[in-house]
PDB file of all heavy atoms in Angstrom:
ATOM      1  N   ASP G  18      18.733  -4.926  92.295  1.00  0.00           N
ATOM      2  CA  ASP G  18      18.731  -5.701  91.078  1.00  0.00           C
ATOM      3  C   ASP G  18      20.044  -5.541  90.348  1.00  0.00           C
ATOM      4  O   ASP G  18      20.743  -4.526  90.572  1.00  0.00           O
ATOM      5  CB  ASP G  18      17.595  -5.256  90.156  1.00  0.00           C
ATOM      6  CG  ASP G  18      17.302  -6.250  89.030  1.00  0.00           C
ATOM      7  OD1 ASP G  18      17.758  -7.410  89.118  1.00  0.00           O
ATOM      8  OD2 ASP G  18      16.597  -5.876  88.080  1.00  0.00           O
ATOM      9  N   ILE G  19      20.344  -6.507  89.536  1.00  0.00           N
ATOM     10  CA  ILE G  19      21.508  -6.439  88.635  1.00  0.00           C
ATOM     11  C   ILE G  19      20.996  -6.844  87.265  1.00  0.00           C
ATOM     12  O   ILE G  19      20.363  -7.907  87.131  1.00  0.00           O
ATOM     13  CB  ILE G  19      22.663  -7.384  89.075  1.00  0.00           C
ATOM     14  CG1 ILE G  19      23.177  -6.980  90.455  1.00  0.00           C
ATOM     15  CG2 ILE G  19      23.803  -7.336  88.048  1.00  0.00           C
ATOM     16  CD1 ILE G  19      24.230  -7.884  91.034  1.00  0.00           C
ATOM     17  N   GLU G  20      21.260  -5.972  86.236  1.00  0.00           N
ATOM     18  CA  GLU G  20      20.650  -6.221  84.966  1.00  0.00           C
ATOM     19  C   GLU G  20      21.662  -5.975  83.842  1.00  0.00           C
ATOM     20  O   GLU G  20      22.574  -5.181  83.971  1.00  0.00           O
ATOM     21  CB  GLU G  20      19.445  -5.321  84.728  1.00  0.00           C
ATOM     22  CG  GLU G  20      19.800  -3.872  84.874  1.00  0.00           C
ATOM     23  CD  GLU G  20      18.589  -2.910  84.985  1.00  0.00           C
ATOM     24  OE1 GLU G  20      17.469  -3.408  85.164  1.00  0.00           O
ATOM     25  OE2 GLU G  20      18.798  -1.726  84.937  1.00  0.00           O
ATOM     26  N   LEU G  21      21.491  -6.687  82.722  1.00  0.00           N
ATOM     27  CA  LEU G  21      22.287  -6.435  81.547  1.00  0.00           C
ATOM     28  C   LEU G  21      21.772  -5.168  80.895  1.00  0.00           C
ATOM     29  O   LEU G  21      20.576  -5.055  80.561  1.00  0.00           O
ATOM     30  CB  LEU G  21      22.191  -7.636  80.565  1.00  0.00           C
ATOM     31  CG  LEU G  21      22.974  -7.493  79.267  1.00  0.00           C
ATOM     32  CD1 LEU G  21      24.483  -7.393  79.559  1.00  0.00           C
ATOM     33  CD2 LEU G  21      22.686  -8.717  78.391  1.00  0.00           C
ATOM     34  N   VAL G  22      22.621  -4.175  80.711  1.00  0.00           N
ATOM     35  CA  VAL G  22      22.251  -2.868  80.159  1.00  0.00           C
ATOM     36  C   VAL G  22      22.514  -2.850  78.660  1.00  0.00           C
ATOM     37  O   VAL G  22      21.716  -2.338  77.887  1.00  0.00           O
ATOM     38  CB  VAL G  22      23.001  -1.711  80.837  1.00  0.00           C
ATOM     39  CG1 VAL G  22      22.725  -0.387  80.187  1.00  0.00           C
ATOM     40  CG2 VAL G  22      22.639  -1.689  82.335  1.00  0.00           C
ATOM     41  N   ALA G  23      23.673  -3.452  78.228  1.00  0.00           N
ATOM     42  CA  ALA G  23      24.003  -3.405  76.814  1.00  0.00           C
ATOM     43  C   ALA G  23      24.997  -4.555  76.547  1.00  0.00           C
ATOM     44  O   ALA G  23      25.739  -4.991  77.415  1.00  0.00           O
ATOM     45  CB  ALA G  23      24.679  -2.069  76.457  1.00  0.00           C
ATOM     46  N   SER G  24      24.980  -5.034  75.272  1.00  0.00           N
ATOM     47  CA  SER G  24      25.942  -6.038  74.842  1.00  0.00           C
ATOM     48  C   SER G  24      26.141  -5.937  73.351  1.00  0.00           C
ATOM     49  O   SER G  24      25.204  -5.548  72.630  1.00  0.00           O
ATOM     50  CB  SER G  24      25.504  -7.428  75.239  1.00  0.00           C
ATOM     51  OG  SER G  24      24.307  -7.787  74.571  1.00  0.00           O
ATOM     52  N   LYS G  25      27.330  -6.231  72.899  1.00  0.00           N
ATOM     53  CA  LYS G  25      27.576  -6.310  71.474  1.00  0.00           C
ATOM     54  C   LYS G  25      28.797  -7.182  71.200  1.00  0.00           C
ATOM     55  O   LYS G  25      29.699  -7.265  72.043  1.00  0.00           O
ATOM     56  CB  LYS G  25      27.791  -4.888  70.892  1.00  0.00           C
ATOM     57  CG  LYS G  25      29.078  -4.213  71.296  1.00  0.00           C
ATOM     58  CD  LYS G  25      29.251  -2.896  70.587  1.00  0.00           C
ATOM     59  CE  LYS G  25      30.622  -2.332  70.942  1.00  0.00           C
ATOM     60  NZ  LYS G  25      31.004  -1.231  70.101  1.00  0.00           N
ATOM     61  N   SER G  26      28.805  -7.826  70.049  1.00  0.00           N
ATOM     62  CA  SER G  26      29.916  -8.641  69.666  1.00  0.00           C
ATOM     63  C   SER G  26      31.058  -7.736  69.294  1.00  0.00           C
ATOM     64  O   SER G  26      30.867  -6.638  68.777  1.00  0.00           O
ATOM     65  CB  SER G  26      29.549  -9.547  68.470  1.00  0.00           C
ATOM     66  OG  SER G  26      28.599 -10.438  68.826  1.00  0.00           O
ATOM     67  N   ASP G  27      32.269  -8.147  69.586  1.00  0.00           N
ATOM     68  CA  ASP G  27      33.465  -7.322  69.351  1.00  0.00           C
ATOM     69  C   ASP G  27      34.662  -8.275  69.168  1.00  0.00           C
ATOM     70  O   ASP G  27      34.532  -9.488  69.238  1.00  0.00           O
ATOM     71  CB  ASP G  27      33.673  -6.438  70.587  1.00  0.00           C
ATOM     72  CG  ASP G  27      34.432  -5.150  70.312  1.00  0.00           C
ATOM     73  OD1 ASP G  27      34.995  -5.045  69.215  1.00  0.00           O
ATOM     74  OD2 ASP G  27      34.408  -4.256  71.163  1.00  0.00           O
ATOM     75  N   LYS G  28      35.812  -7.666  68.914  1.00  0.00           N
ATOM     76  CA  LYS G  28      37.076  -8.461  68.805  1.00  0.00           C
ATOM     77  C   LYS G  28      38.063  -7.815  69.703  1.00  0.00           C
ATOM     78  O   LYS G  28      38.145  -6.595  69.835  1.00  0.00           O
ATOM     79  CB  LYS G  28      37.596  -8.433  67.397  1.00  0.00           C
ATOM     80  CG  LYS G  28      36.874  -9.389  66.495  1.00  0.00           C
ATOM     81  CD  LYS G  28      37.683  -9.669  65.242  1.00  0.00           C
ATOM     82  CE  LYS G  28      36.960 -10.710  64.432  1.00  0.00           C
ATOM     83  NZ  LYS G  28      37.807 -11.322  63.459  1.00  0.00           N
ATOM     84  N   ALA G  29      38.821  -8.627  70.404  1.00  0.00           N
ATOM     85  CA  ALA G  29      39.925  -8.176  71.283  1.00  0.00           C
ATOM     86  C   ALA G  29      41.113  -9.087  71.003  1.00  0.00           C
ATOM     87  O   ALA G  29      41.024 -10.289  71.189  1.00  0.00           O
ATOM     88  CB  ALA G  29      39.485  -8.259  72.729  1.00  0.00           C
ATOM     89  N   GLU G  30      42.180  -8.503  70.546  1.00  0.00           N
ATOM     90  CA  GLU G  30      43.418  -9.252  70.170  1.00  0.00           C
ATOM     91  C   GLU G  30      43.080 -10.406  69.268  1.00  0.00           C
ATOM     92  O   GLU G  30      43.581 -11.512  69.450  1.00  0.00           O
ATOM     93  CB  GLU G  30      44.135  -9.659  71.467  1.00  0.00           C
ATOM     94  CG  GLU G  30      44.615  -8.521  72.279  1.00  0.00           C
ATOM     95  CD  GLU G  30      45.460  -8.906  73.434  1.00  0.00           C
ATOM     96  OE1 GLU G  30      46.061  -9.986  73.447  1.00  0.00           O
ATOM     97  OE2 GLU G  30      45.516  -8.103  74.396  1.00  0.00           O
ATOM     98  N   GLY G  31      42.224 -10.154  68.319  1.00  0.00           N
ATOM     99  CA  GLY G  31      41.881 -11.162  67.260  1.00  0.00           C
ATOM    100  C   GLY G  31      40.906 -12.227  67.725  1.00  0.00           C
ATOM    101  O   GLY G  31      40.554 -13.126  66.969  1.00  0.00           O
ATOM    102  N   GLN G  32      40.389 -12.156  68.962  1.00  0.00           N
ATOM    103  CA  GLN G  32      39.414 -13.131  69.493  1.00  0.00           C
ATOM    104  C   GLN G  32      38.010 -12.534  69.482  1.00  0.00           C
ATOM    105  O   GLN G  32      37.824 -11.341  69.759  1.00  0.00           O
ATOM    106  CB  GLN G  32      39.779 -13.474  70.959  1.00  0.00           C
ATOM    107  CG  GLN G  32      41.131 -14.080  71.148  1.00  0.00           C
ATOM    108  CD  GLN G  32      41.131 -15.561  70.791  1.00  0.00           C
ATOM    109  OE1 GLN G  32      40.089 -16.181  70.547  1.00  0.00           O
ATOM    110  NE2 GLN G  32      42.310 -16.137  70.699  1.00  0.00           N
ATOM    111  N   GLU G  33      37.020 -13.368  69.144  1.00  0.00           N
ATOM    112  CA  GLU G  33      35.640 -12.948  69.228  1.00  0.00           C
ATOM    113  C   GLU G  33      35.253 -12.855  70.701  1.00  0.00           C
ATOM    114  O   GLU G  33      35.459 -13.809  71.450  1.00  0.00           O
ATOM    115  CB  GLU G  33      34.732 -13.994  68.517  1.00  0.00           C
ATOM    116  CG  GLU G  33      34.912 -14.066  67.026  1.00  0.00           C
ATOM    117  CD  GLU G  33      34.347 -12.860  66.332  1.00  0.00           C
ATOM    118  OE1 GLU G  33      33.329 -12.310  66.777  1.00  0.00           O
ATOM    119  OE2 GLU G  33      34.941 -12.459  65.318  1.00  0.00           O
ATOM    120  N   VAL G  34      34.677 -11.721  71.081  1.00  0.00           N
ATOM    121  CA  VAL G  34      34.262 -11.473  72.485  1.00  0.00           C
ATOM    122  C   VAL G  34      32.910 -10.804  72.497  1.00  0.00           C
ATOM    123  O   VAL G  34      32.454 -10.297  71.507  1.00  0.00           O
ATOM    124  CB  VAL G  34      35.313 -10.662  73.247  1.00  0.00           C
ATOM    125  CG1 VAL G  34      36.636 -11.362  73.381  1.00  0.00           C
ATOM    126  CG2 VAL G  34      35.492  -9.307  72.644  1.00  0.00           C
ATOM    127  N   MET G  35      32.308 -10.795  73.668  1.00  0.00           N
ATOM    128  CA  MET G  35      31.072 -10.082  73.932  1.00  0.00           C
ATOM    129  C   MET G  35      31.412  -8.916  74.815  1.00  0.00           C
ATOM    130  O   MET G  35      31.815  -9.119  75.943  1.00  0.00           O
ATOM    131  CB  MET G  35      30.009 -10.985  74.544  1.00  0.00           C
ATOM    132  CG  MET G  35      28.699 -10.288  74.874  1.00  0.00           C
ATOM    133  SD  MET G  35      27.780  -9.745  73.454  1.00  0.00           S
ATOM    134  CE  MET G  35      27.415 -11.274  72.633  1.00  0.00           C
ATOM    135  N   ASN G  36      31.281  -7.690  74.335  1.00  0.00           N
ATOM    136  CA  ASN G  36      31.476  -6.496  75.139  1.00  0.00           C
ATOM    137  C   ASN G  36      30.126  -6.256  75.856  1.00  0.00           C
ATOM    138  O   ASN G  36      29.099  -6.213  75.256  1.00  0.00           O
ATOM    139  CB  ASN G  36      31.802  -5.329  74.233  1.00  0.00           C
ATOM    140  CG  ASN G  36      32.154  -4.096  74.946  1.00  0.00           C
ATOM    141  OD1 ASN G  36      31.866  -3.883  76.104  1.00  0.00           O
ATOM    142  ND2 ASN G  36      32.815  -3.162  74.266  1.00  0.00           N
ATOM    143  N   PHE G  37      30.145  -6.118  77.177  1.00  0.00           N
ATOM    144  CA  PHE G  37      28.892  -5.980  77.911  1.00  0.00           C
ATOM    145  C   PHE G  37      28.976  -4.864  78.967  1.00  0.00           C
ATOM    146  O   PHE G  37      30.036  -4.418  79.361  1.00  0.00           O
ATOM    147  CB  PHE G  37      28.494  -7.264  78.598  1.00  0.00           C
ATOM    148  CG  PHE G  37      29.412  -7.693  79.725  1.00  0.00           C
ATOM    149  CD1 PHE G  37      29.197  -7.283  80.999  1.00  0.00           C
ATOM    150  CD2 PHE G  37      30.508  -8.512  79.469  1.00  0.00           C
ATOM    151  CE1 PHE G  37      30.014  -7.677  82.043  1.00  0.00           C
ATOM    152  CE2 PHE G  37      31.350  -8.933  80.485  1.00  0.00           C
ATOM    153  CZ  PHE G  37      31.085  -8.484  81.777  1.00  0.00           C
ATOM    154  N   LYS G  38      27.784  -4.373  79.348  1.00  0.00           N
ATOM    155  CA  LYS G  38      27.650  -3.428  80.474  1.00  0.00           C
ATOM    156  C   LYS G  38      26.516  -3.904  81.335  1.00  0.00           C
ATOM    157  O   LYS G  38      25.422  -4.209  80.811  1.00  0.00           O
ATOM    158  CB  LYS G  38      27.361  -2.044  79.934  1.00  0.00           C
ATOM    159  CG  LYS G  38      27.186  -0.999  81.072  1.00  0.00           C
ATOM    160  CD  LYS G  38      26.771   0.382  80.549  1.00  0.00           C
ATOM    161  CE  LYS G  38      27.887   1.004  79.814  1.00  0.00           C
ATOM    162  NZ  LYS G  38      27.647   2.404  79.449  1.00  0.00           N
ATOM    163  N   ILE G  39      26.739  -4.031  82.584  1.00  0.00           N
ATOM    164  CA  ILE G  39      25.654  -4.407  83.536  1.00  0.00           C
ATOM    165  C   ILE G  39      25.443  -3.248  84.495  1.00  0.00           C
ATOM    166  O   ILE G  39      26.373  -2.487  84.806  1.00  0.00           O
ATOM    167  CB  ILE G  39      25.899  -5.723  84.290  1.00  0.00           C
ATOM    168  CG1 ILE G  39      27.217  -5.684  85.082  1.00  0.00           C
ATOM    169  CG2 ILE G  39      25.937  -6.855  83.306  1.00  0.00           C
ATOM    170  CD1 ILE G  39      27.404  -6.946  85.918  1.00  0.00           C
ATOM    171  N   GLY G  40      24.223  -3.098  84.948  1.00  0.00           N
ATOM    172  CA  GLY G  40      23.888  -2.094  85.951  1.00  0.00           C
ATOM    173  C   GLY G  40      23.409  -2.732  87.216  1.00  0.00           C
ATOM    174  O   GLY G  40      22.564  -3.554  87.187  1.00  0.00           O
ATOM    175  N   CYS G  41      24.013  -2.269  88.322  1.00  0.00           N
ATOM    176  CA  CYS G  41      23.621  -2.781  89.631  1.00  0.00           C
ATOM    177  C   CYS G  41      22.913  -1.634  90.320  1.00  0.00           C
ATOM    178  O   CYS G  41      23.504  -0.622  90.682  1.00  0.00           O
ATOM    179  CB  CYS G  41      24.898  -3.140  90.434  1.00  0.00           C
ATOM    180  SG  CYS G  41      25.996  -4.309  89.588  1.00  0.00           S
TER     181      CYS G  41
END
């Protein structure tokens, strides 16, 4: 299985991004 473990909104170089971690 591959699953989303965590996610949170963040900023990288002034851009809105989604920081994520997946577990395989």
Side-chain angles (χ1 to χ4, degrees):
D18 195 15
I19 299 176
E20 60 193 8
L21 180 62
V22 174
S24 65
K25 70 175 185 169
S26 294
D27 207 346
K28 283 197 176 199
E30 297 186 23
Q32 299 282 348
E33 293 288 326
V34 296
M35 178 66 63
N36 186 341
F37 67 89
K38 179 184 290 189
I39 59 176
C41 306

